[in-house]
Amino acid sequence: MFSKTCEYAIRAMIFVAHKSKDGTKIGIKEIAKGIDSPEHFIAKILQDLGKKGLIQSLKGPNGGFFFENETLNYSIADVVTAIDGNKLFSGCGLGLKECSTAKPCPIHNEFKKVRDDIFNMLQAAKLTQFTDGLENNLTFLNRK
Amino acid sequence: MFSKTCEYAIRAMIFVAHKSKDGTKIGIKEIAKGIDSPEHFIAKILQDLGKKGLIQSLKGPNGGFFFENETLNYSIADVVTAIDGNKLFSGCGLGLKECSTAKPCPIHNEFKKVRDDIFNMLQAAKLTQFTDGLENNLTFLNRK
DNA sequence: CCAATAAAAGACTTAAAACTCTTTTATTTA
DNA sequence: TAAATAAAAGAGTTTTAAGTCTTTTATTGG
Ligand code: FES
Ligand code: FES
């Protein structure tokens, strides 16, 4: 469904949303441990998301990653679009150059339906809404 | 959603189902043209599917690819499983080592829902059911 | 201002996916 | 049975994704 990069990105963003709820900054090492990902790899990914404005960071002692505007409250769909682009949300399921209702592939109708469902569910899934589940060990971001 | 290999595979299988409905065999060159894919690449893919029993082929003059048992009538889900495995149908959306209801990731419930929808729709989509649409130019397997 | 800290940047390696080319084997038909 | 045909097999190459390592830059607190 998502690229490995995107899977790490989503896990990391949810993790940061969880850990930095009160404005605390969270370091890359702790993030890498928390989501069980290669440290330098997730660093690159978050740098990229930082450039695109989806996350903030500060260098130096007590530095780390955090969300400046809780008000923005990005969704998982925003993260997916930033990393994997919009192929999943608007591309043809059978790989035709573009998805088109006028010249549809054989599964266009059914595929469009589930594709839209995926988009809607990821759009509705805000990064901040998972804090409680993680806090109470009802949901997990790693298998350690 | 699917790997490039899998996209080609599905297109090719639907194309063969369409073209060899009356027992005609269809050559790899015509398949490659019909679905707009690299010839040697789709050849490899169909060889693989042949070994797995999803398609039949014969060498020599008048040889080509065809379906022996119309009765089997595989679905797109079968092709996807053969090529991409079952990660899409049963893996964790956030890339955790395994999807588990007991130790779910934050989006497990919602993800499982759309994942099952995808499976059901691909399971219901039989390779032979698209012939009419293709025949009447209502649906397409390329953009040429 | 200096040392410590932590992210940013950039160069790099590895592994997997995508794709190509050449040779071999099976089948048919003249 | 020889020539033509078409897939099978196998050994590549190229490209992209995934992951690593080293150096630089920014920030803080003493
Ligand atoms: S054309 Fe294939 S999904 Fe729309
Ligand atoms: S645990 Fe992530 S989808 Fe089930």
Side-chain angles (χ1 to χ4, degrees):
Chain A
M1 178 91 41
F2 310 124
S3 68
K4 213 106 223 331
T5 302
C6 193
E7 291 174 349
Y8 288 141
I10 299 169
R11 301 221 299 274
M13 291 293 272
I14 292 176
F15 188 77
V16 173
H18 166 215
K19 287 287 180 180
S20 76
K21 189 148 208 182
D22 50 355
T24 324
K25 280 162 226 125
I26 169 111
I28 200 68
K29 273 177 204 176
E30 203 181 331
I31 297 172
K33 262 182 216 162
I35 68 166
D36 190 21
S37 75
E39 183 182 321
H40 292 288
F41 192 31
I42 192 60
K44 287 275 165 212
I45 297 169
L46 289 183
Q47 266 174 48
D48 183 25
L49 289 174
K51 278 178 200 154
K52 291 172 175 159
L54 277 79
I55 196 173
Q56 280 70 45
S57 63
L58 270 180
K59 297 180 182 179
N62 297 317
F65 292 86
F66 63 100
F67 293 111
E68 196 158 53
N69 288 326
E70 291 289 331
T71 51
L72 260 59
N73 199 8
Y74 286 109
S75 70
I76 295 184
D78 295 320
V79 177
V80 173
T81 303
I83 303 286
D84 281 350
N86 62 359
K87 191 194 174 221
L88 176 65
F89 300 141
S90 49
C92 169
L94 298 191
L96 298 188
K97 290 201 178 55
E98 77 282 340
C99 168
S100 148
T101 307
K103 269 195 119 185
C105 74
I107 63 164
H108 171 82
N109 281 250
E110 296 78 6
F111 186 79
K112 190 173 180 346
K113 214 171 292 165
V114 298
R115 203 182 57 184
D116 289 350
D117 285 348
I118 294 170
F119 180 72
N120 289 331
M121 94 95 158
L122 294 178
Q123 185 84 331
K126 306 297 181 184
L127 295 175
T128 48
Q129 81 183 54
F130 304 107
T131 307
D132 287 351
L134 291 166
E135 199 67 52
N136 301 316
N137 280 305
L138 300 173
T139 60
F140 304 84
L141 287 171
N142 66 66
R143 284 270 174 273
K144 289 223 161 147
Chain B
M1 177 92 43
F2 310 124
S3 68
K4 213 108 223 329
T5 302
C6 193
E7 291 173 348
Y8 288 141
I10 299 169
R11 302 222 299 273
M13 292 293 273
I14 293 176
F15 188 77
V16 173
H18 166 215
K19 287 288 180 181
S20 76
K21 188 148 207 181
D22 50 355
T24 324
K25 280 161 224 126
I26 168 111
I28 200 68
K29 272 176 205 176
E30 204 180 333
I31 297 172
K33 263 182 216 163
I35 68 167
D36 190 22
S37 76
E39 183 182 321
H40 291 289
F41 192 33
I42 191 61
K44 287 276 163 208
I45 297 168
L46 289 182
Q47 267 175 48
D48 184 26
L49 289 173
K51 277 179 201 153
K52 290 172 176 159
L54 277 79
I55 196 172
Q56 279 71 45
S57 63
L58 270 180
K59 297 181 182 179
N62 299 316
F65 292 85
F66 63 100
F67 293 112
E68 196 158 54
N69 289 325
E70 292 289 331
T71 50
L72 260 59
N73 198 7
Y74 287 109
S75 70
I76 295 183
D78 295 319
V79 177
V80 172
T81 303
I83 302 285
D84 282 350
N86 61 359
K87 191 194 175 223
L88 177 64
F89 300 142
S90 49
C92 170
L94 297 191
L96 298 188
K97 291 204 177 54
E98 77 280 342
C99 169
S100 147
T101 307
K103 269 196 119 185
C105 74
I107 63 165
H108 171 83
N109 282 245
E110 296 78 5
F111 187 79
K112 190 175 178 346
K113 214 172 290 165
V114 298
R115 203 182 57 183
D116 289 349
D117 285 348
I118 294 170
F119 180 72
N120 289 330
M121 93 93 157
L122 294 177
Q123 184 84 332
K126 305 297 181 184
L127 296 176
T128 48
Q129 82 184 53
F130 303 107
T131 307
D132 288 351
L134 291 167
E135 199 67 53
N136 302 316
N137 281 305
L138 300 173
T139 61
F140 304 85
L141 286 171
N142 66 65
R143 283 270 176 271
K144 289 223 160 147

